[in-house]
Amino acid sequence: TPLHNPSSLTEATSPLITVKTQKEPEIIRSFLFHKNKKLTHVISVGDPAQVNYSYNLLQGALLQVWKTDFLNVTDMWYQRGEPQIATPMGSTIVLAGNCPIYDRTNVIDSISGYQYKGYTLTESRLPVYSYAYKELFIKDMISPFEQGRGLNRTISLTGKGIEDAMIRIAQAKTITLVGKGLYAIDNQSYYVQVSPALFPKIETYNNQQVLLLPASNEITYQIIW
């Protein structure tokens, strides 16, 4: 909050323009900086439970999560809005931001041939994203978990090649099993919870650890922070 006298400024200050969630989710398309890189195909979703996330539509990738208030959109909606940048209103947990389909031949944060097919809205107005990759068809739904404890993510797959695919649910410097199906990510920055019946495993890739699940028709896990 500026505390100076406005008359002492040579230029007028920008007003704060925000988007808040009230009775139903808010969905905002924007540019967004992630790990010092400007991404152009980003969607941010805020829920009345005050659990929010940003998502890279080109890769089906979770970029960041946060709680409390939703978005600062001043750089998008004030005057010309040239930067077109949206900024979270809360303290963020920055995620790896990579495709859930795991392919060892691709770089850390992207996979070629992953085709975005749009999204539909559930009855509660939460988006369900659709993708195609080779002969696989993927649906990805993210929703609040336990009234604000975190996020629940369900990835559904159909088509050919499911038995050969791996799903990446976390990637970080350190991933540590701390309980039955509960993994601490980067020294407890956040946690991933998954059923042991899905046979999770950790392997090393590009000097990082990756938490993987064998692909199946439906995989559900939780991100908790």
Side-chain angles (χ1 to χ4, degrees), residues 101-107 110-111 133-134 166 168 205:
I101 299 294
Y102 183 62
D103 187 338
R104 296 172 181 84
T105 65
N106 280 269
V107 298
S110 65
I111 187 170
Y133 177 65
K134 297 181 179 178
M166 297 295 290
R168 170 172 39 196
Y205 175 61

Side-chain angles (χ1 to χ4, degrees), residues 162-173:
I162 294 177
E163 63 279 359
D164 299 321
M166 297 295 290
I167 302 300
R168 170 172 39 196
I169 64 173
Q171 182 166 311
K173 291 181 180 178

Side-chain angles (χ1 to χ4, degrees), residues 166-201:
M166 297 295 290
I167 302 300
R168 170 172 39 196
I169 64 173
Q171 182 166 311
K173 291 181 180 178
T174 61
I175 300 177
T176 307
L177 179 63
V178 294
K180 188 176 182 181
L182 184 66
Y183 295 83
I185 312 299
D186 276 347
N187 296 319
Q188 303 178 10
S189 293
Y190 66 98
Y191 296 87
V192 168
Q193 180 174 282
V194 60
S195 170
L198 294 177
F199 303 106
K201 71 173 186 175

Side-chain angles (χ1 to χ4, degrees), residues 147-168:
Q147 299 181 338
R149 189 178 174 209
L151 289 170
N152 191 80
R153 187 178 193 182
T154 299
I155 298 174
S156 304
L157 294 95
T158 56
K160 296 181 181 180
I162 294 177
E163 63 279 359
D164 299 321
M166 297 295 290
I167 302 300
R168 170 172 39 196

Side-chain angles (χ1 to χ4, degrees), residues 21-218:
T21 52
Q22 296 179 353
K23 294 183 179 180
E24 60 184 31
E26 292 284 350
I27 300 173
I28 300 291
R29 294 283 301 270
S30 72
F31 294 171
L32 184 139
F33 277 103
H34 179 259
K35 297 184 177 181
N36 298 318
K37 182 178 180 181
K38 189 175 184 179
L39 302 179
T40 58
H41 293 70
V42 174
I43 189 168
S44 294
V45 179
D47 192 86
Q50 293 199 313
V51 181
N52 319 300
Y53 70 88
S54 297
Y55 184 94
N56 183 358
L57 292 170
L58 294 182
Q59 288 291 300
L62 273 169
L63 301 171
Q64 59 189 10
V65 296
W66 71 100
K67 295 181 180 178
T68 67
D69 291 336
F70 186 35
L71 278 184
N72 176 352
V73 293
T74 307
D75 286 340
M76 295 172 56
W77 294 352
Y78 180 65
Q79 294 184 351
R80 295 180 65 184
E82 184 274 329
Q84 291 295 302
I85 298 295
T87 307
M89 293 290 289
S91 177
T92 58
I93 301 292
V94 179
L95 308 181
N98 45 31
C99 182
I101 299 294
Y102 183 62
D103 187 338
R104 296 172 181 84
T105 65
N106 280 269
V107 298
I108 285 177
D109 60 354
S110 65
I111 187 170
S112 60
Y114 202 68
Q115 302 174 32
Y116 173 54
K117 298 295 185 180
Y119 68 84
T120 58
L121 295 179
T122 66
E123 289 185 4
S124 57
R125 294 191 57 79
L126 289 172
V128 180
Y129 310 100
S130 297
Y131 292 87
Y133 177 65
K134 297 181 179 178
E135 296 183 275
L136 286 173
F137 299 94
I138 301 105
K139 288 191 178 296
D140 190 0
M141 180 177 175
I142 302 163
S143 59
F145 172 60
E146 291 186 353
Q147 299 181 338
R149 189 178 174 209
L151 289 170
N152 191 80
R153 187 178 193 182
T154 299
I155 298 174
S156 304
L157 294 95
T158 56
K160 296 181 181 180
I162 294 177
E163 63 279 359
D164 299 321
M166 297 295 290
I167 302 300
R168 170 172 39 196
I169 64 173
Q171 182 166 311
K173 291 181 180 178
T174 61
I175 300 177
T176 307
L177 179 63
V178 294
K180 188 176 182 181
L182 184 66
Y183 295 83
I185 312 299
D186 276 347
N187 296 319
Q188 303 178 10
S189 293
Y190 66 98
Y191 296 87
V192 168
Q193 180 174 282
V194 60
S195 170
L198 294 177
F199 303 106
K201 71 173 186 175
I202 299 173
E203 69 174 51
T204 301
Y205 175 61
N206 275 10
N207 298 317
Q208 292 193 325
Q209 291 188 302
V210 187
L211 182 57
L212 298 169
L213 299 175
S216 62
N217 294 114
E218 185 174 288

